[in-house]
Amino acid sequence: MELVKDLPAIFEEFSEQRKNAFLRMHELKQQGKPFVGGFCTYLPKELPLAMGACMVGLCSKDGETIPEAEQDLPRNLCPLIKSSYGYAKTDKCPFFYFSDLIVGETTCDGKKKMYEMLAEFKPVHVMELPNSQSPMGKKLFAEEIKKFKEKLESHFETTITEEQIKEAIHKTNEQRKALKAFYGLQKMDPAPMGGLDMHRVLDGVQFRFDMERATEEVKALTQKVIDEYDPEKYRGRKRILLTGSPIGCSTQKVVNAIESNGGVVVCYENCGGARSVDELIDETNPDVYDALAKRYINIPCSCMSPNPGRLELMDRLIDEYKIDGVIEVVLQACHTFNVESYKIKNYVTEKKGVPYMFMETDYSSTDAGQVNTRVGAFIEML
Amino acid sequence: MAKYSLGIDCGSTTVKGVLFDGEKVVDSRLVATSARPALRMHEVYEKLWNEDVGYVVTTGYGRELLPEANKKVTEITCHAKGAHFLGGSVGGVIDIGGQDSKAILLDKDGNVADFLMNDKCAAGTGRFIEMMCRILECTGEQLDTFSPKGPTVDITSMCTVFAESEIISLLAQDVARDDIALGVIRSICRRTATFASRLPMQGSVFFSGGLARYELFRSHLEAAIGRPVVTHAQSQLCGALGAAILGYRFVK
Ligand code: SF4
Ligand code: SF4
């Protein structure tokens, strides 16, 4: 595939994905395509894909509906949960509106209780996600994946064969490989692109319903970035790894602060970035449920206890991306990431000898000035 | 040939300016920020600038507001530099500003090794003291004359608004003004010490910001932290001085 547009236009297009996806979704719905809405990267999207459904991410990433949500939910709850609920409640999110089935997992406490409330508005299926990656946990999750398959079959009156699942696994693996090659470009020093552009692609691709086409586009984009590499553009910038909660629209606030103060984000150890993309599914495993369970339960989210995978991933990323500093951004009232930050800080500073900074934020822009000062001071310190 | 650098620190309450010749503060200014930070910064700039100034660095939350500045640096880096200059071999800095407080860990060369900022709430900042002085009808300058009159008073509220009603109810119970003020100061110092204890500071700590000019604060902070707290007559200028020191490297 060849991309005719120039790079800024392509990045822009990816960031428009979310908006354009509304229309596309409407079209596909009219053609009779079923839609499954999900919130979290633990959802094995291969199953909906196997039955020919489209997956759409419902994790809300801005603060628009938080006031409505706060009529029912406590104020001191993570903004991601409040906003997700708010969009469902107010019917303002077309993705939610058009989803035929909503799937959640028992991840963090706030989210799983919120799913109970969502069931008032929509059919919701909650997968029981164990909070430990033990052999028992894996077994349970494999069972849950089978149950999810059965749920899809009964809800949509269809059957899903293992052959179809295998095909879906192949497709998602191909996309993971393409995405890894794309964000892996940032291993180059100086970095070839800005962190916001990288984020636009990682986020936008989740709203491309034609997965194979999206994969081809990512590959072509990767090639284009290589062809147009200008080492002067980000020369001398401090190389930052961003980690922590999924911060949605706050990414812009944080990344802008980093990149206007002499840094560049070269790696996201977040959902949407390395955390959810890094590991492939074993295509040689004859037991597809086992293969899916193994891969998904390995996602190193702070909901897992203990969560050694996150340190292993950080260890590798810090070396591969030649990281100068780690910035952890945690959403307000996100307890799991907040508590885990202690371990992350110690690991990063003591084992890896890399400076680390912690920041708490929400979806508003009221703290943009403070974020800018902190990030600025951190980069001056590097 | 240029001889001086100029550092301007625009904080939430005051704008500070320092003219620096590479060794000492040659001249300085301090004015209230009021609602017009850009204008006040410019005033300070006009007053201190002369032909021999080779480089201008701004810092503080208004650091973007002076078009004449050659460079903008965050207050963390500047406070560290200023404290290292004024305090010598201190292990860290605690700055209590008008609307935030910060703790900075220094390495042995006076560079920032780590830092924390408390900018989420006004408790434990200069604002809190302003509020207290208003209710107790005293001036900041009077604080150092306060001495215990009765049993110690504890202020437990973490939030400025609640602390305000706590103070009012203490007054209603006829508790001496001195004791209330001392209680407030102790609670601020304790809170600041707890916050700063997340950084592994060694040796003595430099205390900067507007409150550092009161001996009462210094001694309470020292008691709360449990290590020597030093300050300097010019500690209120710490950020502006740090900015000027950083700028001096570019003076040719
Ligand atoms: S951070 Fe954890 S709970 Fe949140 S989307 Fe990612 S995997 Fe799911
Ligand atoms: S950001 Fe934290 S609190 Fe919010 S949904 Fe994710 S894990 Fe839960």
Side-chain angles (χ1 to χ4, degrees):
Chain A
M1 180 186 287
E2 226 205 301
L3 298 166
V4 277
K5 297 195 181 125
D6 58 352
L7 275 180
I10 299 169
F11 286 131
E12 197 45 48
E13 209 174 87
F14 267 100
S15 74
E16 295 282 298
Q17 271 319 305
R18 196 182 266 265
K19 244 184 278 157
N20 297 340
F22 294 166
L23 302 171
R24 185 78 189 116
M25 190 173 184
H26 187 63
E27 263 172 53
L28 289 167
K29 272 302 271 202
Q30 279 175 338
Q31 293 164 19
K33 267 262 189 205
F35 271 82
V36 173
F39 288 94
C40 163
T41 36
Y42 280 110
L43 194 162
K45 54 179 173 231
E46 288 72 14
L47 295 180
L49 289 177
M51 61 163 268
C54 292
M55 271 295 309
V56 62
L58 301 176
C59 250
S60 306
K61 300 182 173 175
D62 64 53
E64 199 188 314
T65 62
I66 288 182
E68 277 100 333
E70 284 178 349
Q71 292 169 1
D72 304 346
L73 292 170
R75 289 197 58 195
N76 59 341
L77 187 68
C78 144
L80 192 155
I81 303 177
K82 282 192 287 196
S83 130
S84 300
Y85 177 80
Y87 271 104
K89 183 187 170 191
T90 56
D91 237 345
K92 271 191 191 157
C93 170
F95 296 139
F96 191 87
Y97 179 82
F98 284 126
S99 292
D100 302 291
L101 179 67
I102 310 285
V103 185
E105 298 75 24
T106 52
T107 48
C108 69
D109 288 353
K111 239 181 179 176
K112 65 192 180 204
K113 298 311 283 183
M114 186 270 285
Y115 292 141
E116 294 173 22
M117 295 164 70
L118 271 194
E120 261 181 55
F121 314 117
K122 275 275 177 183
V124 175
H125 174 77
V126 177
M127 296 179 77
E128 186 177 343
L129 177 75
N131 47 32
S132 139
Q133 295 154 325
S134 62
M136 281 299 285
K138 265 176 215 162
K139 226 168 103 192
L140 171 70
F141 201 51
E143 288 304 314
E144 281 295 311
I145 294 176
K146 268 182 219 152
K147 249 170 64 191
F148 176 39
K149 180 200 103 150
E150 284 153 17
K151 172 75 191 183
L152 288 171
E153 288 178 327
S154 65
H155 193 84
F156 293 99
E157 295 172 355
T158 178
T159 48
I160 303 176
T161 65
E162 293 198 3
E163 234 7 83
Q164 288 169 321
I165 300 179
K166 280 191 179 144
E167 265 172 51
I169 292 180
H170 181 68
K171 273 191 211 167
T172 57
N173 266 350
E174 287 306 305
Q175 181 157 87
R176 287 185 189 103
K177 286 184 209 159
L179 287 172
K180 282 174 72 161
F182 169 70
Y183 67 67
L185 290 175
Q186 292 290 77
K187 289 179 192 166
M188 288 199 263
D189 188 8
M193 61 187 147
L196 214 49
D197 283 341
M198 174 168 60
H199 181 262
R200 283 178 173 150
V201 175
L202 294 175
D203 187 61
V205 76
Q206 301 175 31
F207 292 90
R208 281 269 211 253
F209 301 124
D210 184 343
M211 189 164 232
E212 279 161 307
R213 200 186 144 81
T215 305
E216 287 312 309
E217 274 176 21
V218 171
K219 284 186 190 162
L221 172 60
T222 307
Q223 191 52 49
K224 200 165 170 86
V225 175
I226 297 175
D227 294 343
E228 295 181 14
Y229 179 46
D230 171 9
E232 294 318 310
K233 209 164 165 199
Y234 292 98
R235 189 183 293 287
R237 299 280 192 121
K238 296 293 176 195
R239 301 168 62 82
I240 304 295
L241 180 146
L242 212 60
T243 183
S245 316
I247 53 172
C249 67
S250 299
T251 311
Q252 188 150 359
K253 174 171 71 183
V254 176
V255 175
N256 277 343
I258 293 172
E259 303 197 344
S260 62
N261 280 294
V264 56
V265 177
V266 292
C267 187
Y268 292 97
E269 191 279 314
N270 286 94
C271 275
R275 184 181 304 146
S276 59
V277 180
D278 188 71
E279 193 174 323
L280 300 179
I281 300 170
D282 181 5
E283 291 183 42
T284 62
N285 187 336
D287 181 347
V288 286
Y289 301 104
D290 182 59
L292 287 170
K294 277 190 175 139
R295 189 272 172 189
Y296 276 99
I297 206 165
N298 258 350
I299 292 174
C301 165
S302 61
C303 295
M304 287 294 162
S305 173
N307 184 25
R310 187 156 169 228
L311 298 183
E312 284 158 26
L313 183 61
M314 295 279 275
D315 178 35
R316 185 152 55 81
L317 296 175
I318 287 174
D319 294 340
E320 286 178 359
Y321 288 83
K322 302 189 205 77
I323 297 301
D324 295 312
V326 171
I327 298 184
E328 172 145 42
V329 186
V330 169
L331 288 177
Q332 240 162 50
C334 171
H335 301 318
T336 54
F337 278 101
N338 205 338
V339 175
E340 197 168 276
S341 69
Y342 176 79
K343 277 199 168 174
I344 299 294
K345 174 175 179 148
N346 286 350
Y347 185 80
V348 169
T349 55
E350 279 158 31
K351 289 264 160 39
K352 303 299 292 176
V354 171
Y356 165 99
M357 181 177 69
F358 175 87
M359 237 181 352
E360 209 177 49
T361 191
D362 59 15
Y363 285 173
S364 73
S365 53
T366 49
D367 62 351
Q370 289 129 340
V371 167
N372 195 39
T373 298
R374 284 181 193 219
V375 168
F378 181 69
I379 292 173
E380 282 164 8
M381 179 183 113
L382 298 177
Chain B
M1 237 223 1
K3 293 192 285 195
Y4 304 122
S5 62
L6 179 56
I8 298 178
D9 175 9
C10 178
S12 62
T13 340
T14 51
V15 179
K16 282 91 39 178
V18 162
L19 192 64
F20 184 68
D21 70 357
E23 278 169 15
K24 59 182 186 308
V25 176
V26 180
D27 196 1
S28 68
R29 285 287 184 285
L30 188 146
V31 303
T33 309
S34 68
R36 325 218 19 206
L39 194 75
R40 296 289 170 266
M41 279 181 92
H42 212 263
E43 275 171 27
V44 169
Y45 171 79
E46 297 266 280
K47 292 230 173 74
L48 292 175
W49 193 85
N50 62 46
E51 265 108 74
D52 290 331
V53 171
Y55 208 82
V56 182
V57 176
T58 51
T59 185
Y61 96 108
R63 63 185 175 280
E64 304 287 342
L65 300 176
L66 187 75
E68 290 87 351
N70 300 93
K71 195 175 166 71
K72 305 157 188 96
V73 181
T74 64
E75 49 270 40
I76 303 285
T77 306
C78 291
H79 271 273
K81 272 281 164 267
H84 186 66
F85 183 86
L86 294 174
S89 58
V90 289
V93 186
I94 289 179
D95 174 78
I96 304 187
Q99 65 178 10
D100 61 19
S101 53
K102 30 193 174 286
I104 309 169
L105 182 71
L106 299 180
D107 67 12
K108 56 183 187 319
D109 303 316
N111 297 314
V112 181
D114 202 353
F115 65 92
L116 294 170
M117 269 177 98
N118 169 21
D119 49 24
K120 289 271 186 277
C121 96
T125 66
R127 282 269 183 286
F128 202 89
I129 294 297
E130 276 173 28
M131 175 274 293
M132 178 194 83
C133 288
R134 183 167 43 77
I135 303 176
L136 297 182
E137 296 175 345
C138 65
T139 62
E141 274 55 42
Q142 273 173 285
L143 288 179
D144 270 342
T145 66
F146 284 4
S147 64
K149 299 281 183 288
T152 43
V153 175
D154 270 322
I155 306 289
T156 49
S157 297
M158 293 291 284
C159 149
T160 322
V161 180
F162 289 131
E164 183 165 344
S165 46
E166 209 175 324
I167 295 174
I168 292 172
S169 75
L170 286 168
L171 283 171
Q173 292 162 35
D174 212 21
V175 175
R177 193 172 75 160
D178 290 30
D179 292 330
I180 299 176
L182 292 172
V184 170
I185 290 168
R186 195 173 37 246
S187 87
I188 292 179
C189 289
R190 278 202 195 139
R191 215 168 287 159
T192 309
T194 312
F195 154 74
S197 69
R198 299 186 70 147
L199 293 178
M201 290 193 194
Q202 301 291 328
S204 54
V205 176
F206 188 80
F207 181 24
S208 66
L211 298 181
R213 61 185 187 275
Y214 307 120
E215 167 56 21
L216 199 60
F217 263 97
R218 194 206 58 77
S219 57
H220 274 88
L221 195 60
E222 191 165 76
I225 297 181
R227 52 178 68 256
V229 170
V230 298
T231 184
H232 189 281
Q234 286 174 325
S235 81
Q236 212 179 350
L237 301 175
C238 191
L241 174 58
I245 294 170
L246 287 167
Y248 194 75
R249 285 183 300 175
F250 302 99
V251 173
K252 301 224 174 48

